Amino acid sequence: MSRRRIGLPRSLHRSRPSCPPRPPELSRDSVRAAMVRRIHVEEAGQSSVLILGMLMVVLLLVAVMAGATAVNLEARKLLSAADGAASAAAQAAEGGASGPGPRVSSDQVREQAQNYLAVSGAETRFSDVAVSGAWVTDAGETAHVELAAVVDLPVVSAILPARVPITVESHARVSLNR
């Protein structure tokens, strides 16, 4: 008995094209291992670039934090020197004929501040330190001193000449001790 297809005439039936041979059945583990190997080969070296990028970001943050800390510490040290200079200027006040208490002039404040910086050794501790301002208020009873200096950034200065200018201001009142 021959089998005959029903519905279409024989001339309209197509023959099946030949298919490639089917590979032998692979286990699930071997398929997974092959996929992992292919992914590993395609992405080889990309994690190294990511790690280097993250390392650069971390080093940049450390450099910024070290620089900010250095500037803050130097500003505090310079403020201490400005306090001493203002106090030295206030102690140099002379008794005046125009009022009951001693008075100080702007020239005296500048001169005493510069002398204090020289005697205290501040010129060797700070880079480019100078008295940038000296004035009096309250009719000569308060001496104001403004100091300026430059801070070299610790990490960046090895690569770039990075210098940050800082200024601080301090004041001291003339006191009359009897």
Side-chain angles (χ1 to χ4, degrees):
M1 241 189 186
S2 71
R3 292 188 151 175
R4 188 173 166 164
R5 294 186 186 159
I6 303 175
L8 292 174
R10 282 184 186 210
S11 62
L12 295 177
H13 284 284
R14 294 185 185 170
S15 62
R16 281 188 163 176
S18 62
C19 295
R22 211 170 183 189
E25 290 295 321
L26 298 174
S27 70
R28 195 175 236 179
D29 292 335
S30 63
V31 170
R32 186 174 290 146
M35 288 176 65
V36 168
R37 276 194 302 272
R38 187 180 68 180
I39 290 172
H40 181 69
V41 169
E42 290 175 358
E43 295 183 6
Q46 290 183 9
S47 60
S48 299
V49 173
L50 179 66
I51 290 171
L52 286 175
M54 294 302 287
L55 183 64
M56 292 300 292
V57 168
V58 167
L59 289 176
L60 181 64
L61 287 174
V62 167
V64 167
M65 292 301 295
T69 302
V71 170
N72 187 15
L73 288 175
E74 288 298 313
R76 287 176 185 254
K77 290 177 187 176
L78 189 62
L79 181 61
S80 175
D83 287 341
S87 177
Q91 289 174 0
E94 300 171 349
S98 63
R103 303 280 187 249
V104 66
S105 69
S106 296
D107 293 333
Q108 287 175 326
V109 171
R110 180 174 294 278
E111 182 182 336
Q112 290 298 320
Q114 289 172 342
N115 287 342
Y116 177 81
L117 292 178
V119 170
S120 68
E123 294 172 342
T124 59
R125 290 182 304 195
F126 300 104
S127 191
D128 299 334
V129 67
V131 178
S132 61
W135 65 96
V136 295
T137 57
D138 299 331
E141 291 182 2
T142 304
H144 294 269
V145 174
E146 183 179 85
L147 298 182
V150 178
V151 178
D152 294 320
L153 296 180
V155 177
V156 181
S157 64
I159 301 168
L160 299 171
R163 303 184 87 192
V164 178
I166 55 173
T167 59
V168 295
E169 179 187 334
S170 182
H171 63 275
R173 293 201 40 101
V174 176
S175 64
L176 178 62
N177 294 330
R178 292 184 185 198

